[in-house]
Amino acid sequence: MSTEPDCRVGLEVAPWSYQVGREKIREFARVLGHREAWYYDREAARAAGFRDVVAPPLFAVVYGRWMEPLIMEPALGVDYRRMLHGAQEFSFGAPVCSGDVVTTTARLDGVSTKKDLTFFELSSVSLVQSEAGTALASEGRWTMIVRGGRE
């Protein structure tokens, strides 16, 4: 595997924000098969200690937009049609609830190649702004693989 230095490592794109909606949380929870009332009912969520209907932790893929703003950055030269999702992992902080605004920043941490595959290592930090203030919502680590190398 080649690990030659890449001048794009460290590249960050402008942060993006996502307004969390109650119905989007409900749809996401339903698709994942969650049955807990706090994903659907505001009063149940409040009774459980949340500010409003709470998003499942993996809702991070929604407000993180699958890192699209960074992946689509022209400087990376990624042919999106040849990209494979390699891996992702999250660490979670404060709960994200309906009405919150989540702002995500992303960065390219590494690029390596093996045969005709290019591996992009990415990271993200998402902060949740709510009436309670600003807190870490999640940190993500992502691996995207592009078949056929880079453009």
Short mmCIF file of all heavy atoms in Angstrom, two decimals, residues 13-80:
data_model
loop_
_atom_site.label_atom_id
_atom_site.label_comp_id
_atom_site.label_asym_id
_atom_site.label_seq_id
_atom_site.Cartn_x
_atom_site.Cartn_y
_atom_site.Cartn_z
N VAL A 13 -13.54 21.54 4.56
CA VAL A 13 -14.51 22.33 3.82
C VAL A 13 -15.29 23.19 4.81
O VAL A 13 -15.24 22.96 6.02
CB VAL A 13 -15.47 21.44 2.99
CG1 VAL A 13 -14.71 20.72 1.89
CG2 VAL A 13 -16.19 20.44 3.86
N ALA A 14 -16.02 24.15 4.29
CA ALA A 14 -16.82 25.01 5.17
C ALA A 14 -17.82 24.15 5.96
O ALA A 14 -18.40 23.20 5.42
CB ALA A 14 -17.57 26.05 4.34
N PRO A 15 -18.01 24.47 7.22
CA PRO A 15 -19.00 23.72 8.02
C PRO A 15 -20.39 23.83 7.41
O PRO A 15 -20.71 24.81 6.75
CB PRO A 15 -18.96 24.42 9.39
CG PRO A 15 -17.72 25.22 9.40
CD PRO A 15 -17.39 25.55 7.99
N TRP A 16 -21.21 22.81 7.65
CA TRP A 16 -22.60 22.86 7.20
C TRP A 16 -23.51 22.59 8.38
O TRP A 16 -23.11 21.94 9.34
CB TRP A 16 -22.86 21.90 6.05
CG TRP A 16 -22.67 20.45 6.37
CD1 TRP A 16 -23.61 19.58 6.84
CD2 TRP A 16 -21.46 19.68 6.27
NE1 TRP A 16 -23.06 18.32 7.04
CE2 TRP A 16 -21.74 18.37 6.69
CE3 TRP A 16 -20.16 19.99 5.86
CZ2 TRP A 16 -20.79 17.37 6.70
CZ3 TRP A 16 -19.21 18.98 5.88
CH2 TRP A 16 -19.52 17.69 6.29
N SER A 17 -24.72 23.13 8.31
CA SER A 17 -25.67 22.98 9.42
C SER A 17 -26.91 22.24 8.96
O SER A 17 -27.29 22.30 7.79
CB SER A 17 -26.07 24.36 9.96
OG SER A 17 -24.95 24.98 10.56
N TYR A 18 -27.54 21.57 9.91
CA TYR A 18 -28.75 20.78 9.66
C TYR A 18 -29.75 21.07 10.77
O TYR A 18 -29.41 20.92 11.95
CB TYR A 18 -28.39 19.28 9.63
CG TYR A 18 -29.56 18.39 9.35
CD1 TYR A 18 -29.93 18.09 8.05
CD2 TYR A 18 -30.31 17.85 10.39
CE1 TYR A 18 -31.01 17.26 7.79
CE2 TYR A 18 -31.39 17.03 10.14
CZ TYR A 18 -31.73 16.74 8.84
OH TYR A 18 -32.81 15.93 8.59
N GLN A 19 -30.94 21.49 10.39
CA GLN A 19 -32.03 21.71 11.35
C GLN A 19 -32.75 20.38 11.54
O GLN A 19 -33.28 19.81 10.58
CB GLN A 19 -33.01 22.75 10.81
CG GLN A 19 -34.25 22.93 11.67
CD GLN A 19 -34.04 23.90 12.81
OE1 GLN A 19 -33.43 24.93 12.63
NE2 GLN A 19 -34.55 23.56 13.97
N VAL A 20 -32.77 19.86 12.75
CA VAL A 20 -33.35 18.56 13.05
C VAL A 20 -34.87 18.69 13.18
O VAL A 20 -35.37 19.49 13.97
CB VAL A 20 -32.75 17.96 14.35
CG1 VAL A 20 -33.37 16.61 14.65
CG2 VAL A 20 -31.24 17.85 14.22
N GLY A 21 -35.59 17.88 12.42
CA GLY A 21 -37.05 17.91 12.45
C GLY A 21 -37.63 16.67 13.10
O GLY A 21 -37.09 15.57 12.99
N ARG A 22 -38.74 16.87 13.76
CA ARG A 22 -39.40 15.78 14.49
C ARG A 22 -39.81 14.65 13.55
O ARG A 22 -39.61 13.46 13.85
CB ARG A 22 -40.61 16.34 15.24
CG ARG A 22 -41.23 15.36 16.21
CD ARG A 22 -42.32 16.02 17.06
NE ARG A 22 -41.75 17.06 17.91
CZ ARG A 22 -42.24 18.31 17.99
NH1 ARG A 22 -43.29 18.67 17.32
NH2 ARG A 22 -41.66 19.19 18.78
N GLU A 23 -40.40 14.99 12.42
CA GLU A 23 -40.87 13.94 11.51
C GLU A 23 -39.71 13.16 10.90
O GLU A 23 -39.80 11.96 10.70
CB GLU A 23 -41.78 14.52 10.43
CG GLU A 23 -42.54 13.45 9.66
CD GLU A 23 -43.38 12.53 10.56
OE1 GLU A 23 -43.93 12.99 11.59
OE2 GLU A 23 -43.46 11.32 10.26
N LYS A 24 -38.60 13.83 10.62
CA LYS A 24 -37.42 13.13 10.08
C LYS A 24 -36.90 12.13 11.11
O LYS A 24 -36.52 11.01 10.76
CB LYS A 24 -36.34 14.14 9.71
CG LYS A 24 -35.13 13.51 9.05
CD LYS A 24 -35.44 12.84 7.74
CE LYS A 24 -35.53 13.83 6.63
NZ LYS A 24 -35.67 13.24 5.32
N ILE A 25 -36.89 12.51 12.39
CA ILE A 25 -36.48 11.58 13.44
C ILE A 25 -37.41 10.38 13.45
O ILE A 25 -36.96 9.22 13.50
CB ILE A 25 -36.47 12.27 14.82
CG1 ILE A 25 -35.35 13.29 14.90
CG2 ILE A 25 -36.35 11.23 15.94
CD1 ILE A 25 -35.39 14.15 16.15
N ARG A 26 -38.70 10.62 13.39
CA ARG A 26 -39.67 9.52 13.41
C ARG A 26 -39.47 8.58 12.23
O ARG A 26 -39.49 7.35 12.39
CB ARG A 26 -41.09 10.09 13.39
CG ARG A 26 -41.49 10.77 14.67
CD ARG A 26 -42.83 11.46 14.53
NE ARG A 26 -43.25 12.09 15.78
CZ ARG A 26 -44.05 13.14 15.84
NH1 ARG A 26 -44.57 13.67 14.75
NH2 ARG A 26 -44.37 13.65 17.02
N GLU A 27 -39.27 9.15 11.05
CA GLU A 27 -39.05 8.31 9.86
C GLU A 27 -37.79 7.46 10.01
O GLU A 27 -37.79 6.28 9.69
CB GLU A 27 -38.91 9.20 8.62
CG GLU A 27 -40.19 9.89 8.21
CD GLU A 27 -39.97 10.96 7.14
OE1 GLU A 27 -38.80 11.25 6.79
OE2 GLU A 27 -40.97 11.51 6.67
N PHE A 28 -36.72 8.09 10.48
CA PHE A 28 -35.45 7.38 10.64
C PHE A 28 -35.59 6.25 11.66
O PHE A 28 -35.16 5.12 11.42
CB PHE A 28 -34.36 8.38 11.07
CG PHE A 28 -32.97 7.83 10.98
CD1 PHE A 28 -32.28 7.81 9.77
CD2 PHE A 28 -32.33 7.35 12.10
CE1 PHE A 28 -31.00 7.31 9.69
CE2 PHE A 28 -31.05 6.85 12.04
CZ PHE A 28 -30.37 6.83 10.82
N ALA A 29 -36.21 6.55 12.80
CA ALA A 29 -36.41 5.54 13.84
C ALA A 29 -37.27 4.38 13.31
O ALA A 29 -36.98 3.21 13.58
CB ALA A 29 -37.05 6.16 15.07
N ARG A 30 -38.30 4.72 12.56
CA ARG A 30 -39.19 3.68 12.00
C ARG A 30 -38.43 2.76 11.05
O ARG A 30 -38.56 1.53 11.13
CB ARG A 30 -40.37 4.36 11.28
CG ARG A 30 -41.49 3.43 10.91
CD ARG A 30 -42.71 4.17 10.32
NE ARG A 30 -43.18 5.23 11.21
CZ ARG A 30 -43.13 6.55 10.91
NH1 ARG A 30 -42.64 6.97 9.75
NH2 ARG A 30 -43.57 7.45 11.78
N VAL A 31 -37.62 3.34 10.19
CA VAL A 31 -36.84 2.54 9.23
C VAL A 31 -35.88 1.60 9.95
O VAL A 31 -35.66 0.47 9.53
CB VAL A 31 -36.09 3.46 8.24
CG1 VAL A 31 -35.02 2.71 7.49
CG2 VAL A 31 -37.07 4.11 7.28
N LEU A 32 -35.30 2.07 11.07
CA LEU A 32 -34.36 1.24 11.83
C LEU A 32 -35.06 0.23 12.73
O LEU A 32 -34.41 -0.61 13.35
CB LEU A 32 -33.43 2.11 12.66
CG LEU A 32 -32.44 2.97 11.88
CD1 LEU A 32 -31.59 3.78 12.83
CD2 LEU A 32 -31.57 2.13 10.97
N GLY A 33 -36.38 0.32 12.85
CA GLY A 33 -37.13 -0.62 13.67
C GLY A 33 -37.17 -0.27 15.14
O GLY A 33 -37.53 -1.11 15.97
N HIS A 34 -36.83 0.97 15.50
CA HIS A 34 -36.90 1.39 16.90
C HIS A 34 -38.37 1.55 17.30
O HIS A 34 -39.16 2.14 16.58
CB HIS A 34 -36.18 2.73 17.11
CG HIS A 34 -34.70 2.63 17.01
ND1 HIS A 34 -33.94 1.91 17.90
CD2 HIS A 34 -33.83 3.18 16.13
CE1 HIS A 34 -32.67 2.02 17.57
NE2 HIS A 34 -32.57 2.78 16.50
N ARG A 35 -38.70 1.06 18.46
CA ARG A 35 -40.09 1.15 18.94
C ARG A 35 -40.22 2.01 20.19
O ARG A 35 -41.34 2.25 20.65
CB ARG A 35 -40.62 -0.25 19.22
CG ARG A 35 -40.71 -1.05 17.94
CD ARG A 35 -41.15 -2.46 18.20
NE ARG A 35 -41.06 -3.20 16.95
CZ ARG A 35 -41.94 -4.06 16.56
NH1 ARG A 35 -42.99 -4.32 17.30
NH2 ARG A 35 -41.79 -4.69 15.43
N GLU A 36 -39.10 2.47 20.74
CA GLU A 36 -39.16 3.26 21.96
C GLU A 36 -39.94 4.55 21.72
O GLU A 36 -39.74 5.25 20.72
CB GLU A 36 -37.74 3.61 22.44
CG GLU A 36 -36.92 2.40 22.85
CD GLU A 36 -36.21 1.71 21.68
OE1 GLU A 36 -36.41 2.10 20.51
OE2 GLU A 36 -35.47 0.76 21.94
N ALA A 37 -40.82 4.88 22.66
CA ALA A 37 -41.73 6.02 22.50
C ALA A 37 -41.01 7.36 22.36
O ALA A 37 -41.51 8.26 21.70
CB ALA A 37 -42.70 6.06 23.68
N TRP A 38 -39.81 7.49 22.97
CA TRP A 38 -39.13 8.79 22.93
C TRP A 38 -38.68 9.18 21.53
O TRP A 38 -38.33 10.32 21.30
CB TRP A 38 -37.97 8.85 23.91
CG TRP A 38 -36.97 7.72 23.79
CD1 TRP A 38 -36.06 7.54 22.79
CD2 TRP A 38 -36.78 6.66 24.71
NE1 TRP A 38 -35.32 6.41 23.02
CE2 TRP A 38 -35.74 5.85 24.21
CE3 TRP A 38 -37.38 6.31 25.91
CZ2 TRP A 38 -35.29 4.71 24.86
CZ3 TRP A 38 -36.93 5.18 26.56
CH2 TRP A 38 -35.90 4.40 26.04
N TYR A 39 -38.69 8.26 20.57
CA TYR A 39 -38.39 8.59 19.18
C TYR A 39 -39.61 9.14 18.43
O TYR A 39 -39.47 9.65 17.33
CB TYR A 39 -37.87 7.37 18.43
CG TYR A 39 -36.55 6.84 18.94
CD1 TYR A 39 -36.40 5.49 19.23
CD2 TYR A 39 -35.46 7.68 19.15
CE1 TYR A 39 -35.19 4.99 19.69
CE2 TYR A 39 -34.25 7.19 19.62
CZ TYR A 39 -34.13 5.84 19.88
OH TYR A 39 -32.93 5.34 20.33
N TYR A 40 -40.78 9.01 19.02
CA TYR A 40 -42.02 9.35 18.32
C TYR A 40 -42.88 10.39 19.06
O TYR A 40 -43.57 11.18 18.42
CB TYR A 40 -42.86 8.09 18.11
CG TYR A 40 -42.13 7.03 17.35
CD1 TYR A 40 -41.45 6.00 18.02
CD2 TYR A 40 -42.07 7.07 15.96
CE1 TYR A 40 -40.76 5.03 17.32
CE2 TYR A 40 -41.37 6.09 15.26
CZ TYR A 40 -40.71 5.08 15.94
OH TYR A 40 -40.01 4.14 15.25
N ASP A 41 -42.84 10.37 20.37
CA ASP A 41 -43.77 11.16 21.17
C ASP A 41 -43.02 12.15 22.06
O ASP A 41 -42.16 11.76 22.86
CB ASP A 41 -44.62 10.22 22.03
CG ASP A 41 -45.60 10.95 22.88
OD1 ASP A 41 -46.60 11.45 22.33
OD2 ASP A 41 -45.36 11.05 24.11
N ARG A 42 -43.35 13.42 21.92
CA ARG A 42 -42.68 14.48 22.66
C ARG A 42 -42.81 14.30 24.18
O ARG A 42 -41.84 14.46 24.92
CB ARG A 42 -43.24 15.82 22.23
CG ARG A 42 -42.53 16.99 22.81
CD ARG A 42 -43.15 18.27 22.29
NE ARG A 42 -42.21 19.36 22.44
CZ ARG A 42 -42.51 20.60 22.23
NH1 ARG A 42 -43.72 20.93 21.80
NH2 ARG A 42 -41.61 21.54 22.40
N GLU A 43 -43.98 13.97 24.64
CA GLU A 43 -44.19 13.81 26.09
C GLU A 43 -43.42 12.61 26.63
O GLU A 43 -42.85 12.68 27.73
CB GLU A 43 -45.68 13.72 26.41
CG GLU A 43 -46.45 15.00 26.12
CD GLU A 43 -45.79 16.27 26.67
OE1 GLU A 43 -45.39 16.26 27.86
OE2 GLU A 43 -45.66 17.25 25.92
N ALA A 44 -43.37 11.54 25.88
CA ALA A 44 -42.59 10.37 26.30
C ALA A 44 -41.10 10.72 26.33
O ALA A 44 -40.38 10.28 27.24
CB ALA A 44 -42.84 9.20 25.36
N ALA A 45 -40.65 11.50 25.37
CA ALA A 45 -39.25 11.92 25.34
C ALA A 45 -38.93 12.79 26.56
O ALA A 45 -37.90 12.60 27.22
CB ALA A 45 -38.95 12.67 24.05
N ARG A 46 -39.81 13.72 26.86
CA ARG A 46 -39.59 14.59 28.03
C ARG A 46 -39.62 13.78 29.33
O ARG A 46 -38.83 14.02 30.23
CB ARG A 46 -40.62 15.70 28.05
CG ARG A 46 -40.32 16.76 26.99
CD ARG A 46 -41.24 17.93 27.08
NE ARG A 46 -40.76 18.97 26.19
CZ ARG A 46 -41.44 20.05 25.91
NH1 ARG A 46 -42.63 20.26 26.47
NH2 ARG A 46 -40.95 20.95 25.09
N ALA A 47 -40.51 12.82 29.41
CA ALA A 47 -40.58 11.97 30.60
C ALA A 47 -39.29 11.17 30.77
O ALA A 47 -38.90 10.83 31.89
CB ALA A 47 -41.79 11.04 30.52
N ALA A 48 -38.61 10.88 29.65
CA ALA A 48 -37.35 10.13 29.70
C ALA A 48 -36.15 11.06 29.92
O ALA A 48 -35.01 10.59 29.94
CB ALA A 48 -37.18 9.33 28.41
N GLY A 49 -36.41 12.38 30.01
CA GLY A 49 -35.33 13.31 30.30
C GLY A 49 -34.78 14.06 29.10
O GLY A 49 -33.78 14.79 29.23
N PHE A 50 -35.39 13.90 27.94
CA PHE A 50 -34.94 14.61 26.74
C PHE A 50 -35.73 15.90 26.57
O PHE A 50 -36.84 16.05 27.09
CB PHE A 50 -35.11 13.72 25.50
CG PHE A 50 -34.32 12.45 25.56
CD1 PHE A 50 -34.96 11.23 25.75
CD2 PHE A 50 -32.94 12.47 25.46
CE1 PHE A 50 -34.24 10.05 25.82
CE2 PHE A 50 -32.21 11.30 25.53
CZ PHE A 50 -32.86 10.08 25.71
N ARG A 51 -35.18 16.84 25.81
CA ARG A 51 -35.85 18.13 25.56
C ARG A 51 -37.05 17.98 24.64
O ARG A 51 -38.00 18.75 24.70
CB ARG A 51 -34.87 19.12 24.91
CG ARG A 51 -33.69 19.49 25.77
CD ARG A 51 -32.76 20.47 25.07
NE ARG A 51 -32.34 20.07 23.75
CZ ARG A 51 -31.40 19.18 23.48
NH1 ARG A 51 -30.77 18.56 24.46
NH2 ARG A 51 -31.06 18.88 22.24
N ASP A 52 -36.99 17.03 23.73
CA ASP A 52 -38.04 16.82 22.72
C ASP A 52 -37.81 15.42 22.17
O ASP A 52 -36.96 14.68 22.68
CB ASP A 52 -37.91 17.88 21.61
CG ASP A 52 -39.21 18.12 20.85
OD1 ASP A 52 -39.91 17.13 20.55
OD2 ASP A 52 -39.53 19.28 20.54
N VAL A 53 -38.54 15.06 21.12
CA VAL A 53 -38.32 13.77 20.45
C VAL A 53 -36.83 13.67 20.15
O VAL A 53 -36.23 14.59 19.61
CB VAL A 53 -39.16 13.68 19.16
CG1 VAL A 53 -38.80 12.47 18.35
CG2 VAL A 53 -40.65 13.67 19.51
N VAL A 54 -36.22 12.56 20.56
CA VAL A 54 -34.77 12.40 20.44
C VAL A 54 -34.43 11.55 19.23
O VAL A 54 -35.16 10.61 18.88
CB VAL A 54 -34.18 11.79 21.75
CG1 VAL A 54 -34.69 10.38 21.98
CG2 VAL A 54 -32.67 11.85 21.75
N ALA A 55 -33.32 11.89 18.58
CA ALA A 55 -32.86 11.14 17.41
C ALA A 55 -32.06 9.92 17.85
O ALA A 55 -31.29 10.00 18.81
CB ALA A 55 -32.00 12.03 16.53
N PRO A 56 -32.23 8.80 17.15
CA PRO A 56 -31.35 7.65 17.42
C PRO A 56 -29.89 8.07 17.17
O PRO A 56 -29.63 8.93 16.32
CB PRO A 56 -31.79 6.60 16.40
CG PRO A 56 -33.17 7.00 16.00
CD PRO A 56 -33.20 8.50 16.10
N PRO A 57 -28.95 7.48 17.86
CA PRO A 57 -27.55 7.90 17.67
C PRO A 57 -27.09 7.89 16.21
O PRO A 57 -26.41 8.82 15.77
CB PRO A 57 -26.77 6.88 18.52
CG PRO A 57 -27.73 6.49 19.60
CD PRO A 57 -29.08 6.48 18.92
N LEU A 58 -27.48 6.87 15.45
CA LEU A 58 -27.02 6.81 14.06
C LEU A 58 -27.66 7.84 13.15
O LEU A 58 -27.33 7.91 11.96
CB LEU A 58 -27.20 5.40 13.50
CG LEU A 58 -26.14 4.42 13.95
CD1 LEU A 58 -26.37 3.04 13.34
CD2 LEU A 58 -24.74 4.91 13.61
N PHE A 59 -28.51 8.69 13.70
CA PHE A 59 -29.02 9.84 12.95
C PHE A 59 -27.85 10.73 12.52
O PHE A 59 -27.99 11.59 11.66
CB PHE A 59 -30.03 10.61 13.81
CG PHE A 59 -30.89 11.58 13.06
CD1 PHE A 59 -31.95 11.13 12.29
CD2 PHE A 59 -30.66 12.94 13.15
CE1 PHE A 59 -32.77 12.02 11.62
CE2 PHE A 59 -31.47 13.84 12.47
CZ PHE A 59 -32.53 13.38 11.70
N ALA A 60 -26.68 10.49 13.09
CA ALA A 60 -25.46 11.22 12.71
C ALA A 60 -25.19 11.12 11.21
O ALA A 60 -24.61 12.04 10.62
CB ALA A 60 -24.26 10.70 13.50
N VAL A 61 -25.61 10.04 10.56
CA VAL A 61 -25.41 9.95 9.12
C VAL A 61 -26.32 10.91 8.37
O VAL A 61 -26.02 11.29 7.24
CB VAL A 61 -25.61 8.50 8.58
CG1 VAL A 61 -24.62 7.56 9.22
CG2 VAL A 61 -27.02 8.02 8.74
N VAL A 62 -27.41 11.33 8.98
CA VAL A 62 -28.31 12.30 8.34
C VAL A 62 -27.71 13.69 8.45
O VAL A 62 -27.52 14.37 7.45
CB VAL A 62 -29.73 12.25 8.97
CG1 VAL A 62 -30.60 13.34 8.39
CG2 VAL A 62 -30.36 10.88 8.76
N TYR A 63 -27.42 14.15 9.68
CA TYR A 63 -26.89 15.51 9.80
C TYR A 63 -25.46 15.61 9.30
O TYR A 63 -25.00 16.68 8.94
CB TYR A 63 -27.07 16.09 11.21
CG TYR A 63 -26.42 15.35 12.35
CD1 TYR A 63 -25.05 15.34 12.54
CD2 TYR A 63 -27.21 14.70 13.29
CE1 TYR A 63 -24.47 14.69 13.61
CE2 TYR A 63 -26.63 14.05 14.38
CZ TYR A 63 -25.27 14.05 14.54
OH TYR A 63 -24.70 13.41 15.60
N GLY A 64 -24.74 14.49 9.23
CA GLY A 64 -23.40 14.49 8.67
C GLY A 64 -23.38 14.40 7.15
O GLY A 64 -22.34 14.56 6.53
N ARG A 65 -24.54 14.15 6.57
CA ARG A 65 -24.73 14.06 5.11
C ARG A 65 -23.71 13.14 4.44
O ARG A 65 -23.26 13.40 3.34
CB ARG A 65 -24.70 15.45 4.49
CG ARG A 65 -25.87 16.28 4.90
CD ARG A 65 -25.89 17.68 4.36
NE ARG A 65 -25.45 17.84 3.00
CZ ARG A 65 -24.93 18.96 2.54
NH1 ARG A 65 -24.79 20.00 3.32
NH2 ARG A 65 -24.55 19.05 1.29
N TRP A 66 -23.35 12.06 5.14
CA TRP A 66 -22.41 11.08 4.60
C TRP A 66 -21.13 11.74 4.10
O TRP A 66 -20.52 11.28 3.16
CB TRP A 66 -23.04 10.26 3.48
CG TRP A 66 -24.02 9.28 3.99
CD1 TRP A 66 -25.36 9.49 4.20
CD2 TRP A 66 -23.78 7.94 4.39
NE1 TRP A 66 -25.94 8.37 4.70
CE2 TRP A 66 -25.00 7.39 4.82
CE3 TRP A 66 -22.64 7.15 4.42
CZ2 TRP A 66 -25.09 6.10 5.29
CZ3 TRP A 66 -22.75 5.86 4.88
CH2 TRP A 66 -23.98 5.36 5.30
N MET A 67 -20.77 12.87 4.70
CA MET A 67 -19.53 13.58 4.37
C MET A 67 -19.54 14.13 2.95
O MET A 67 -18.51 14.46 2.40
CB MET A 67 -18.32 12.66 4.58
CG MET A 67 -18.21 12.09 5.96
SD MET A 67 -17.79 13.32 7.17
CE MET A 67 -16.11 13.60 6.75
N GLU A 68 -20.71 14.21 2.35
CA GLU A 68 -20.82 14.65 0.96
C GLU A 68 -20.09 15.96 0.67
O GLU A 68 -19.41 16.06 -0.36
CB GLU A 68 -22.29 14.76 0.58
CG GLU A 68 -22.51 15.21 -0.84
CD GLU A 68 -23.99 15.37 -1.15
OE1 GLU A 68 -24.84 15.06 -0.31
OE2 GLU A 68 -24.27 15.84 -2.26
N PRO A 69 -20.20 17.00 1.50
CA PRO A 69 -19.50 18.24 1.16
C PRO A 69 -17.99 18.06 0.99
O PRO A 69 -17.39 18.71 0.14
CB PRO A 69 -19.83 19.17 2.34
CG PRO A 69 -21.15 18.67 2.83
CD PRO A 69 -21.06 17.17 2.69
N LEU A 70 -17.38 17.18 1.78
CA LEU A 70 -15.94 16.95 1.63
C LEU A 70 -15.67 16.01 0.46
O LEU A 70 -14.78 16.27 -0.36
CB LEU A 70 -15.36 16.38 2.92
CG LEU A 70 -13.86 16.11 2.93
CD1 LEU A 70 -13.06 17.37 2.61
CD2 LEU A 70 -13.43 15.56 4.28
N ILE A 71 -16.42 14.95 0.34
CA ILE A 71 -16.19 13.98 -0.72
C ILE A 71 -16.35 14.62 -2.10
O ILE A 71 -15.63 14.30 -3.04
CB ILE A 71 -17.15 12.78 -0.58
CG1 ILE A 71 -16.80 12.00 0.68
CG2 ILE A 71 -17.08 11.87 -1.80
CD1 ILE A 71 -17.87 11.03 1.10
N MET A 72 -17.30 15.56 -2.22
CA MET A 72 -17.57 16.20 -3.50
C MET A 72 -16.64 17.39 -3.78
O MET A 72 -16.73 18.01 -4.84
CB MET A 72 -19.03 16.65 -3.56
CG MET A 72 -20.03 15.50 -3.45
SD MET A 72 -19.83 14.22 -4.71
CE MET A 72 -20.50 15.07 -6.11
N GLU A 73 -15.75 17.69 -2.86
CA GLU A 73 -14.81 18.80 -3.05
C GLU A 73 -13.95 18.52 -4.29
O GLU A 73 -13.29 17.49 -4.38
CB GLU A 73 -13.92 18.94 -1.80
CG GLU A 73 -12.77 19.88 -1.94
CD GLU A 73 -13.19 21.32 -2.25
OE1 GLU A 73 -14.20 21.79 -1.67
OE2 GLU A 73 -12.51 21.94 -3.07
N PRO A 74 -13.97 19.43 -5.28
CA PRO A 74 -13.22 19.19 -6.53
C PRO A 74 -11.74 18.92 -6.31
O PRO A 74 -11.14 18.15 -7.07
CB PRO A 74 -13.44 20.49 -7.32
CG PRO A 74 -14.73 21.03 -6.81
CD PRO A 74 -14.76 20.67 -5.34
N ALA A 75 -11.13 19.49 -5.29
CA ALA A 75 -9.70 19.29 -5.04
C ALA A 75 -9.36 17.82 -4.76
O ALA A 75 -8.22 17.40 -4.97
CB ALA A 75 -9.23 20.16 -3.87
N LEU A 76 -10.33 17.03 -4.30
CA LEU A 76 -10.06 15.61 -4.04
C LEU A 76 -10.04 14.79 -5.32
O LEU A 76 -9.43 13.73 -5.36
CB LEU A 76 -11.10 15.03 -3.07
CG LEU A 76 -11.04 15.52 -1.64
CD1 LEU A 76 -12.01 14.72 -0.78
CD2 LEU A 76 -9.65 15.44 -1.07
N GLY A 77 -10.74 15.22 -6.34
CA GLY A 77 -10.76 14.48 -7.59
C GLY A 77 -11.44 13.13 -7.49
O GLY A 77 -11.09 12.20 -8.21
N VAL A 78 -12.43 13.00 -6.63
CA VAL A 78 -13.13 11.73 -6.45
C VAL A 78 -14.20 11.58 -7.53
O VAL A 78 -15.03 12.47 -7.72
CB VAL A 78 -13.78 11.65 -5.05
CG1 VAL A 78 -14.69 10.43 -4.94
CG2 VAL A 78 -12.71 11.60 -3.98
N ASP A 79 -14.15 10.47 -8.24
CA ASP A 79 -15.23 10.13 -9.16
C ASP A 79 -16.29 9.41 -8.33
O ASP A 79 -16.14 8.23 -8.01
CB ASP A 79 -14.72 9.24 -10.29
CG ASP A 79 -15.80 8.89 -11.31
OD1 ASP A 79 -17.00 9.12 -11.04
OD2 ASP A 79 -15.43 8.39 -12.38
N TYR A 80 -17.32 10.14 -7.97
CA TYR A 80 -18.36 9.64 -7.06
C TYR A 80 -18.98 8.35 -7.56
O TYR A 80 -19.39 7.51 -6.78
CB TYR A 80 -19.41 10.74 -6.89
CG TYR A 80 -20.29 10.62 -5.68
CD1 TYR A 80 -19.78 10.81 -4.41
CD2 TYR A 80 -21.63 10.32 -5.81
CE1 TYR A 80 -20.58 10.71 -3.29
CE2 TYR A 80 -22.45 10.22 -4.69
CZ TYR A 80 -21.91 10.42 -3.45
OH TYR A 80 -22.71 10.31 -2.34
#
